[in-house]
C-alpha cells in the first residue's frame, strides 16, 4: 500500500502568458518503507516535486495524499503540524540553526510540537546515536564537518518518527567519503526501521542505493526503475545519458 | 502525545534561548541597536525627571491656599471687589461658608547671606480675612496662633517656609519685599503644610496683603466650603450662574497651569519623542535586516514544522529582550543625564525666569520610559516579525524576487507627500498645531523616504562619482538595492540633522533677539528691571511710589513704566501691558508696523483702545480697526485696535498695549514691573545710575542698569542658553550615527560573498574601502538633505510654539546652521563608514567567497 501518492500533480510558475510547467500532471505512488530516488536534469522539477510532497508549497492543480488524506486541503497551521509530526526534511544547504547545538537542532521539531525540553533532548540524543553522532550533540553546527552536519539534519528529520523523510540533494555538497557515509546511514534507516525515504540526487552512486529511481524531465516522469537496491552506478549513469539525448 | 504538559513554557523557553543565542552571536549589532533604545529611554527619563520641575516652576499654581472645596476666581485672573461676589456665593445653595483671599506667588530677590529668610526663593503671599477664613480653612496650626481680625504686621507661615528659613521662628521679625518697598512683619504662628514640596506660604491679614501687593480693597479668589452632602458640580454650576461668565469656580484638583504651558510641555517633549523615533527606526531597520539575513534559518524552522506564530514570536522575543535590557540601562543613563541637564540649565533658567529647578521623582517619570521603551521596541519589531511569520518556507529556501517594489515606492511618496502638505498647512496656520505640524512633517518625510531613495541616488550619485570615480557607481547601486534600509538609515540621520538645524535656528533667533535688544530697544538711558525679564508672572513689582521717587531725582527727565496683566480673548491667552501714552514714546523705540505712532498714542489716552503686537495680529487675527473682547476683572470689555506695533523687549507675546488708566480700571492693577528712565541732557550717567540704585534700596526685587550694559548682559545670558541646545543636539546625533554605522555594518556583512567576488576579479582593498565609503557618503548626503528640509519645518514650528509661551523669537532662516548640518551629516556618515569600510577591505578573499 502506498504511503504517499500524487494525482495529476501540476505546478505552474510565471505569468499566465508565459507559464513555466515545473511539474506537469505527475502521478507517483510511493510504498511504505520504500527508498525512492528522484533524478533528472537541472530544472526538471525535482525540488518542486519534493516541496509539494512535503507540504512546503501548494500545487497549481492535482493533489498529494499522505496516508490517503489530501494535504493540499490543509491550512497553514495544520500543514506546519504535519511537517513537524509526519514529515522529515534534509536539504543541501542551511539545514541547521547556527546558534543552537546539534542536539537542540535535532530536538527542534519536538519542542515546536510542545514536547518537554528534557524529553525532547533525550529523544534527540537517541536520533543522533542512530546516525552515528552520539558524541557530538553538544557541538554547534560550525564545529561539525559538512558530512556531520548533514547527518545531524537527518537525525532531526528522523526524531519525530515521521511517515516520510524527504531529502533534496543531501550529499550535493559533500566529498565522496562523507557522501558514502551519509548514504549508508540513509540506507540503514530504511532497512533497520522501515523508514520511507524520498531523495533527490544528481549522483548515480547515491541513487544506486535506492530501491527505485524515478526520472523527471520537463516536469514529467519519463522513467521509473525498480532496482531493489541492486542497481549499479554505471547502469544509472547510462540511463541518464540516454535520457539527456532523448 | 506523552509529555506535552507545560508546552507553552517549553516552547517559549526554547525561543528565548534561541533569541539570546542570536543576540550574543552578533554582539556588535546587538549593542548598537540596544544603544538606540538606551538613548531614547535615557532622554525621555531625563526629560520627565527635569521637565515637571520646569513646568512646576513656570506654573502659576492657583491651587487652593486653605484646602477649600472650591475656589472661585475671575476668568481673567484679575482681582476684584469682594463685596457683591462674596454675598452671591454665600447665598448659593449648598455653600456652607465662603471667604475672600488675595494671593500671589513670586520670587524673592537675592539677599545677603545670613538673612532671616534663609534659603527661601519662591513664596506665596496670601491675604486672608481672619474672621471668616477659619470657617472654610483646614489649616492645622503647628505652633503659635492664627491671625486675628484687625491685626496688622503679623504673619503666619507654613512649616515648609520654616524648613527653608530655620531662623524664622515664633516672634521673629522679618523684612518682606512688597510693592511699596520692604515691610517688616512678625511671625505669630506656623501651620503644617501639606507637603514639603509645596510653595512656602506667608499668610497675612487681608489689608496687609492688599498693601503689599498694591491691590487696595481687592481680592482675587473666593474659597468655598460646601455643605455636607452637597454635590460639588451642582454647586459650581449654581455659582457660575449666579456670578455670570466673568467668574469661574474650579475644582481645586483641576486648576492647572496657563494654556501656554501645554505648548511648552509639548515642545520640550519633542526631544524625547525625536529620540524615541530614532530608536524605533534603528530597531525596525535592524529587525528587518535580521529577518532577511536569517530567512534561511527561519525557512528551515518553518520546513520542520514551526507555525507562522512561532516564527513571529522568536523575533518578538528578541525585541523584548533588547527592549527590556535597553530600557534598564537607559534609566540609569537617564538619571545621569538629568543630573547633568539640571546642572547645565540651573544658572540659565535662574537668570531668565528666576526659578529653581528640582528633580521630580514622580511615578510617571519612571512609568513613561519603562512602558515606552519596551513598547517602542515591540512596535518597531512587530512588523518585521509579522513579515518573518508570513514568509513561506520556500521563499526562505530560494532567492527572493523583488516584485512590487516600484509600486510600493510610488505609494510611499504619495502618502508621505500628503503628510507633508498637511504638515505645512498646520505649520503656517500658526496655532498650537505648530508642533504637531513639525512632527507630521517628519513623519511624512519618513514615509516618503523609501520612494525617494532611487531618485536621490540618481540625483546625488554623480556627486559621489566625482569623488570616487570608479567605485561611485557600485556605491550607488548598493544603496539603491535596499531602498527600505537606505530610507530608514537616511531617516535616522535626517532626524539628527533636523535637530541640529532646529537648534541652529533657535540659537540664531535668540541671538537675533538679543542683538535687537542692544541695538534698538533701549531708547532710554537707564533701565530698572525685575529679576526676570522674560516672564512677569512671578515678579512682584512696585506701586506708584517708586516711580514718583525716581522722577523726583534731579538727573531724571522722564520715567515711563510698564504694568502687566494677563487675560484671554476668545479663549486665546493675551498679555496686557499698561503704558503711559504721554511719555512712553520718549523711552521706547517701538516700531509701528501698521497705524501711525502719534495717532495711536493719542487714541490710547481716550476710550478703550489698544495697540496689538504683530504676534497678536497674526495669532488672533486682529487688525487695525477691529474690535475685540478681552476678559477683564470687570467682565468682558471691548477694545479697539488702533495700531500694530513691535518692540522686542516689551512685546514678547501676543499682547495688547493699553493705557495704564484702563489697566487700573479693567484689571485693577497699577503695579510697575519695569521702569525706563531718560536723563536730562548732559547728566552724568554713572552718577544718575547710583542715585537710581539708592532709590531702589527698599525694593530688592529690582535692579538698575545702564541700558547699553544691560543689553550686553542679555547677550551673555543667551549665549549660555545656546550651550544647552547644542548639547541636546549632540545627544540626538549619537543614535543617528549609530544608525549609520549599523546599516553599513549590516550591508557589508550581507555582501561578504560579493565583496570577495569583487576582490577575486581584481578589485583592490582600497577600492572596496572606497566603495563602502561612497555608500556612506551617499546615505549621508541623502539623509542630510532630508534633515535640512525637516529641520527648517521643525524650527519654524518650535519657534512658533516658543512664541506661544511668551518668547517671541523672530524667525531667522538658519542658513549657517543648514551648512553646518550638511557638513555634520556628511562627516557623521563618513566617520560611521570608517569601521565597516575597513572591515570590508580586510576580508580574506577565500573566506569571503565561502561565507554564508
Ligand atoms: N519560484 C519560482 N518562480 C518561477 N519559476 C520557478 C520557481 N521555482 C522553480 N521554478 C522553475 O521551475 C522549474 C523546476 O525547478 P526545480 O527547482 O524544481 O528544478 P530542479 O529539478 O530541482 O533543478 P536543480 O537540479 O537545478 O535543483 C525550473 O524551470 C525553475 O526555473
Ligand atoms: Mg533542485
Amino acid at each position: 500500500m502506498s504511503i504517499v501518492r500524487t494525482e495529476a500533480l501540476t505546478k505552474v510558475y510565471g505569468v499566465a502568458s508565459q507559464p513555466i510547467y515545473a511539474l506537469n500532471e505527475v502521478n507517483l505512488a510511493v510504498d511504505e518503507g520504500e527508498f525512492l530516488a528522484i533524478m533528472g536534469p537541472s530544472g526538471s522539477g525535482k525540488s518542486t516535486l519534493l516541496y509539494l510532497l512535503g507540504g512546503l508549497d501548494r500545487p497549481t492543480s492535482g493533489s498529494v495524499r499522505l496516508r490517503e488524506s489530501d494535504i493540499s486541503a490543509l491550512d497553514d497551521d495544520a500543514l506546519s503540524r504535519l511537517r513537524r509530526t509526519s514529515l522529515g526534511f534534509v536539504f543541501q544547504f542551511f539545514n541547521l540553526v547556527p546558534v543552537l547545538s546539534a542536539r537542540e537542532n535535532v530536538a527542534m521539531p519536538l519542542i515546536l510540537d510542545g514536547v518537554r525540553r528534557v524529553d525532547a533532548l533525550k529523544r534527540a540524543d537517541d536520533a543522533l546515536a542512530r546516525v552515528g553522532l552520539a558524541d557530538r550533540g553538544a557541538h554547534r553546527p560550525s564545529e561539525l564537518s559538512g558530512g556531520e552536519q548533514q547527518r545531524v539534519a537527518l537525525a532531526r528529520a528522523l526524531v519525530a518518527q515521521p511517515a516520510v523523510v524527504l531529502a533534496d540533494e543531501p550529499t550535493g555538497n559533500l566529498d565522496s567519503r562523507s557522501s558514502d557515509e551519509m548514504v549508508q546511514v540513509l540506507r540503514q534507516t530504511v532497512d533497520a526501521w522501515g523508514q520511507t525515504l524520498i531523495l533527490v540526487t544528481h549522483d548515480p552512486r547515491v541513487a544506486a542505493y535506492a530501491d527505485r529511481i524515478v526520472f523527471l524531465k520537463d516536469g514529467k516522469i519519463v522513467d521509473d526503475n525498480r532496482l531493489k537496491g541492486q542497481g549499479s552506478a554505471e547502469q544509472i549513469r547510462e540511463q541518464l545519458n540516454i535520457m539527456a539525448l532523448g | 502525545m506523552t509529555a506535552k504538559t507545560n508546552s507553552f513554557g517549553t516552547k517559549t523557553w526554547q525561543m528565548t534561548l534561541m533569541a539570546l543565542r542570536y543576540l550574543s552571536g552578533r554582539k556588535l549589532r546587538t549593542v548598537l541597536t540596544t544603544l538606540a533604545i538606551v538613548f531614547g529611554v535615557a532622554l525621555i527619563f531625563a526629560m520627565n525627571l527635569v521637565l515637571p520641575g520646569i513646568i512646576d516652576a513656570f506654573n502659576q499654581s492657583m491651587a487652593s491656599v486653605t484646602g477649600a472645596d472650591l475656589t472661585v476666581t475671575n476668568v481673567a485672573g484679575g482681582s476684584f471687589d469682594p463685596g457683591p461676589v462674596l454675598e452671591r456665593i454665600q447665598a448659593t445653595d449648598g455653600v456652607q461658608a465662603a471667604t475672600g483671599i488675595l494671593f500671589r506667588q513670586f520670587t524673592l530677590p537675592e539677599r545677603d547671606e545670613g538673612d532671616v529668610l534663609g534659603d527661601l526663593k519662591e513664596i506665596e503671599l496670601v491675604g486672608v480675612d481672619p474672621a471668616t477664613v477659619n470657617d472654610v480653612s483646614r489649616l492645622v496650626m503647628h505652633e503659635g496662633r492664627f491671625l486675628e481680625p484687625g491685626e496688622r504686621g503679623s504673619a503666619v507661615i507654613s512649616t515648609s517656609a520654616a524648613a527653608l528659613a530655620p531662623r524664622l521662628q515664633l516672634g521673629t521679625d522679618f523684612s518682606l519685599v512688597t510693592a511699596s518697598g520692604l515691610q517688616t512683619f512678625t511671625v505669630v504662628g506656623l501651620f503644617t503644610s501639606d507637603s514639603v514640596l509645596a510653595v512656602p506660604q506667608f499668610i497675612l491679614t487681608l489689608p496687609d496683603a492688599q498693601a503689599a501687593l498694591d491691590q487696595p480693597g481687592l481680592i482675587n479668589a473666593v474659597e468655598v466650603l460646601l455643605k455636607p452632602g452637597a454635590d460639588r458640580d451642582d454647586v459650581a454650576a449654581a455659582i457660575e450662574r449666579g456670578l455670570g461668565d466673568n467668574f469661574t469656580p474650579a475644582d481645586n484638583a483641576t486648576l492647572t497651569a496657563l494654556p501656554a504651558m501645554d505648548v511648552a510641555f509639548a515642545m520640550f517633549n519633542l526631544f524625547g519623542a525625536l529620540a524615541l523615533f530614532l530608536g524605533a527606526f534603528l530597531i525596525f531597520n535592524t529587525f528587518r535586516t535580521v529577518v532577511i539575513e536569517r530567512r534561511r534559518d527561519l525557512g528551515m524552522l518553518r520546513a520542520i514544522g514551526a507555525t507562522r506564530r512561532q516564527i513571529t514570536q522568536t523575533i518578538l522575543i528578541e525585541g523584548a529582550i533588547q527592549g527590556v535590557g535597553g530600557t534598564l540601562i537607559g534609566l540609569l543613563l537617564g538619571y545621569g543625564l538629568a543630573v547633568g541637564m539640571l546642572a547645565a540649565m540651573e544658572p540659565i533658567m535662574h537668570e531668565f525666569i528666576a526659578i529653581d529647578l528640582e528633580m521630580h521623582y514622580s511615578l510617571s517619570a519612571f512609568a513613561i520610559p519603562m512602558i515606552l521603551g519596551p513598547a517602542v521596541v515591540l512596535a518597531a519589531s512587530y512588523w518585521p516579525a509579522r513579515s518573518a511569520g508570513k514568509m513561506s518556507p520556500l521563499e526562505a529556501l530560494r532567492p527572493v524576487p523583488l516584485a512590487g517594489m516600484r509600486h510600493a515606492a510610488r505609494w510611499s511618496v504619495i502618502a508621505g507627500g500628503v503628510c507633508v502638505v498637511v504638515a505645512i498647512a498646520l505649520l503656517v496656520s500658526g496655532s498650537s498645531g505648530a508642533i504637531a505640524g513639525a512632527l507630521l512633517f517628519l513623519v511624512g518625510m519618513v514615509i516618503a523616504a523609501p520612494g525617494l531613495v532611487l531618485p536621490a541616488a540618481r540625483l546625488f550619485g554623480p556627486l559621489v562619482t566625482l569623488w570616487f570615480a570608479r567605485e561611485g557607481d557600485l556605491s550607488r547601486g548598493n544603496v539603491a538595492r535596499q531602498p527600505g534600509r537606505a530610507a530608514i538609515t537616511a531617516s535616522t540621520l535626517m532626524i539628527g540633522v533636523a535637530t541640529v538645524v532646529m537648534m541652529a535656528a533657535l540659537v540664531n533667533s535668540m541671538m537675533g533677539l538679543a542683538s535687537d535688544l542692544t541695538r534698538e530697544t533701549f531708547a532710554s538711558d537707564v533701565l530698572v528691571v525685575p529679576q526676570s525679564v522674560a516672564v512677569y508672572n512671578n515678579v512682584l513689582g512696585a506701586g506708584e511710589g517708586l516711580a514718583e521717587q525716581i522722577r523726583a531725582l534731579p538727573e531724571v527727565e522722564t520715567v515711563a513704566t510698564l504694568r502687566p496683566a494677563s487675560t484671554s480673548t476668545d479663549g486665546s491667552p493675551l498679555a496686557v501691558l499698561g503704558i503711559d501714552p504721554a511719555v512712553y514714546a520718549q523711552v521706547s523705540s517701538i516700531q509701528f508696523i501698521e497705524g501711525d505712532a502719534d495717532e495711536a498714542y493719542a487714541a490710547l489716552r481716550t476710550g478703550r483702545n489698544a495697540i496689538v503686537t504683530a504676534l497678536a495680529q497674526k495669532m488672533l487675527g486682529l487688525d487695525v480697526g477691529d474690535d475685540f473682547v478681552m476678559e477683564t476683572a470687570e467682565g468682558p470689555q471691548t477694545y479697539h485696535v488702533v495700531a500694530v506695533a513691535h518692540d522686542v523687549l516689551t512685546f514678547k507675546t501676543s499682547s495688547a498695549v493699553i493705557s495704564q488708566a484702563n489697566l487700573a480700571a479693567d484689571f485693577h492693577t497699577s503695579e510697575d514691573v519695569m521702569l525706563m528712565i531718560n536723563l536730562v541732557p548732559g547728566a552724568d550717567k554713572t552718577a544718575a545710575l547710583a542715585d537710581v540704585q539708592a532709590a531702589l534700596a527698599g525694593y530688592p526685587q529690582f535692579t538698575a542698569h545702564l541700558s547699553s550694559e544691560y543689553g550686553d548682559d542679555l547677550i551673555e545670558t543667551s549665549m549660555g542658553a545656546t550651550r544647552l541646545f547644542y548639547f541636546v543636539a549632540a545627544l540626538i546625533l549619537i543614535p543617528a550615527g549609530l544608525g549609520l554605522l549599523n546599516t553599513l555594518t549590516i550591508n557589508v556583512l550581507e555582501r561578504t560573498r560579493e565583496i570577495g567576488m569583487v576582490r577575486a576579479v581584481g578589485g583592490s582593498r582600497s577600492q572596496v574601502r572606497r566603495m563602502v565609503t561612497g555608500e556612506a557618503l551617499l546615505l549621508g548626503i541623502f539623509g542630510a538633505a532630508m534633515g535640512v528640509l525637516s529641520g527648517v519645518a521643525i524650527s519654524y514650528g518650535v519657534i512658533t510654539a516658543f512664541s506661544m509661551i511668551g518668547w517671541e523669537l523672530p524667525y531667522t532662516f538658519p542658513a549657517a546652521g543648514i551648512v553646518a548640518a550638511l557638513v555634520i551629516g556628511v562627516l557623521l556618515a563618513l566617520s560611521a563608514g570608517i569601521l565597516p569600510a575597513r572591515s570590508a577591505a580586510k576580508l580574506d578573499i577565500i573566506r569571503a567567497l565561502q561565507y554564508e
Side-chain angles (χ1 to χ4, degrees), chain A residues 13-14 20-22 40-49 168-169 200 202, chain B residues 398:
Chain A
Y13 287 113
I20 301 167
Y21 279 85
S42 187
S44 57
K46 305 181 295 292
S47 296
T48 305
L49 175 59
D168 193 353
E169 302 187 39
V200 168
H202 280 287
Chain B
R398 288 181 159 163

Coordinates of all heavy atoms in Angstrom, one line a residue, chain A residues 13-14 20-22 40-49 168-169 200 202, chain B residues 398, ligand 1:
Chain A
Y13 N 4.7 27.9 -12.7 CA 5.2 29.2 -12.3 C 5.1 30.2 -13.4 O 4.8 29.9 -14.5 CB 6.7 29.0 -12.0 CG 7.0 28.3 -10.7 CD1 7.6 27.0 -10.7 CD2 6.7 28.9 -9.5 CE1 7.9 26.4 -9.6 CE2 7.0 28.2 -8.3 CZ 7.6 26.9 -8.4 OH 7.9 26.3 -7.2
G14 N 5.4 31.5 -13.0 CA 5.4 32.5 -14.0 C 4.0 33.1 -14.3 O 3.0 32.7 -13.7
I20 N 5.4 28.5 -16.9 CA 6.5 27.5 -16.8 C 6.0 26.3 -16.0 O 5.6 26.4 -14.8 CB 7.7 28.1 -16.0 CG1 8.2 29.4 -16.7 CG2 8.8 27.1 -15.8 CD1 9.2 30.2 -15.8
Y21 N 5.9 25.2 -16.7 CA 5.4 24.0 -16.1 C 6.5 23.3 -15.3 O 7.2 22.5 -15.9 CB 4.7 23.1 -17.1 CG 3.3 23.5 -17.5 CD1 3.1 24.5 -18.4 CD2 2.2 22.9 -16.8 CE1 1.8 24.9 -18.7 CE2 0.9 23.3 -17.1 CZ 0.7 24.3 -18.1 OH -0.5 24.7 -18.3
A22 N 6.7 23.6 -14.1 CA 7.7 22.9 -13.3 C 7.3 21.5 -13.1 O 8.2 20.6 -13.0 CB 7.9 23.6 -11.9
G40 N 17.2 13.5 -12.6 CA 16.7 14.3 -13.7 C 17.6 15.5 -13.9 O 18.3 15.9 -13.0
P41 N 17.6 16.1 -15.1 CA 18.5 17.2 -15.4 C 18.0 18.4 -14.5 O 16.9 18.4 -14.0 CB 18.3 17.5 -16.9 CG 17.1 16.7 -17.3 CD 16.8 15.6 -16.3
S42 N 18.9 19.4 -14.5 CA 18.6 20.6 -13.7 C 17.4 21.3 -14.3 O 17.3 21.4 -15.5 CB 19.9 21.5 -13.8 OG 19.7 22.6 -12.9
G43 N 16.5 21.7 -13.4 CA 15.3 22.4 -13.8 C 14.2 21.5 -14.2 O 13.2 21.9 -14.7
S44 N 14.4 20.2 -14.0 CA 13.4 19.2 -14.4 C 12.2 19.2 -13.5 O 11.2 18.5 -13.8 CB 14.0 17.9 -14.6 OG 14.6 17.5 -13.4
G45 N 12.3 19.8 -12.3 CA 11.2 19.8 -11.4 C 11.3 18.9 -10.1 O 10.4 18.7 -9.4
K46 N 12.6 18.5 -9.9 CA 12.8 17.5 -8.8 C 12.5 18.2 -7.4 O 11.7 17.7 -6.6 CB 14.2 17.1 -8.8 CG 14.7 16.4 -10.1 CD 16.1 15.9 -10.0 CE 17.2 17.0 -9.8 NZ 17.3 17.9 -11.0
S47 N 13.1 19.4 -7.2 CA 12.9 20.1 -6.0 C 11.4 20.4 -5.8 O 10.8 20.3 -4.7 CB 13.7 21.4 -5.9 OG 15.1 21.0 -5.9
T48 N 10.8 20.9 -6.9 CA 9.4 21.3 -6.9 C 8.5 20.1 -6.4 O 7.7 20.3 -5.5 CB 8.9 21.8 -8.2 OG1 9.8 22.8 -8.7 CG2 7.5 22.3 -8.2
L49 N 8.8 18.9 -7.0 CA 8.0 17.7 -6.6 C 8.2 17.5 -5.1 O 7.3 17.2 -4.3 CB 8.5 16.5 -7.4 CG 7.9 15.2 -7.0 CD1 6.4 15.2 -7.2 CD2 8.4 14.1 -7.9
D168 N 16.6 16.7 -0.3 CA 16.9 17.3 -1.5 C 18.4 17.4 -1.7 O 19.0 18.3 -1.0 CB 16.2 18.7 -1.6 CG 16.2 19.3 -3.0 OD1 16.9 18.7 -3.9 OD2 15.6 20.3 -3.2
E169 N 19.0 16.6 -2.5 CA 20.4 16.6 -2.7 C 21.2 16.7 -1.4 O 22.0 17.6 -1.2 CB 20.8 17.7 -3.6 CG 20.1 17.6 -5.0 CD 20.6 18.6 -6.0 OE1 21.9 18.8 -6.0 OE2 19.8 19.1 -6.7
V200 N 16.2 13.3 -3.6 CA 16.6 13.9 -4.9 C 18.1 13.9 -5.0 O 18.8 14.3 -4.1 CB 16.1 15.3 -5.0 CG1 16.7 16.0 -6.3 CG2 14.5 15.3 -5.1
H202 N 21.7 14.0 -7.9 CA 22.3 14.0 -9.2 C 23.3 12.9 -9.4 O 23.8 12.6 -10.4 CB 23.0 15.4 -9.5 CG 22.2 16.5 -9.8 ND1 21.6 16.6 -11.1 CD2 21.8 17.6 -9.1 CE1 20.9 17.7 -11.1 NE2 21.0 18.4 -10.0
Chain B
R398 N 14.7 29.7 -1.3 CA 15.1 30.2 -2.7 C 15.3 31.7 -2.7 O 14.8 32.4 -1.8 CB 14.0 29.8 -3.7 CG 13.9 28.3 -3.9 CD 12.8 28.1 -4.9 NE 13.0 26.8 -5.5 CZ 12.1 26.1 -6.2 NH1 10.9 26.6 -6.3 NH2 12.4 24.9 -6.7
Ligands
LIG1 N1 9.7 30.4 -7.6 C1 9.8 30.1 -8.9 N2 9.4 31.0 -9.8 C2 9.5 30.7 -11.2 N3 10.0 29.6 -11.6 C3 10.4 28.6 -10.7 C4 10.4 28.9 -9.3 N4 10.9 27.8 -8.7 C5 11.3 27.0 -9.7 N5 11.0 27.5 -10.9 C6 11.2 26.8 -12.2 O1 10.6 25.5 -12.2 C7 11.4 24.6 -12.8 C8 11.8 23.4 -11.9 O2 12.6 23.9 -10.8 P1 13.2 22.9 -9.7 O3 13.9 23.7 -8.7 O4 12.1 22.0 -9.3 O5 14.3 22.1 -10.6 P2 15.3 21.0 -10.1 O6 15.0 19.8 -10.8 O7 15.3 20.9 -8.6 O8 16.7 21.6 -10.6 P3 18.1 21.5 -9.9 O9 18.6 20.2 -10.2 O10 18.9 22.6 -10.5 O11 17.9 21.7 -8.4 C9 12.6 25.3 -13.3 O12 12.5 25.7 -14.6 C10 12.7 26.6 -12.4 O13 13.2 27.6 -13.2

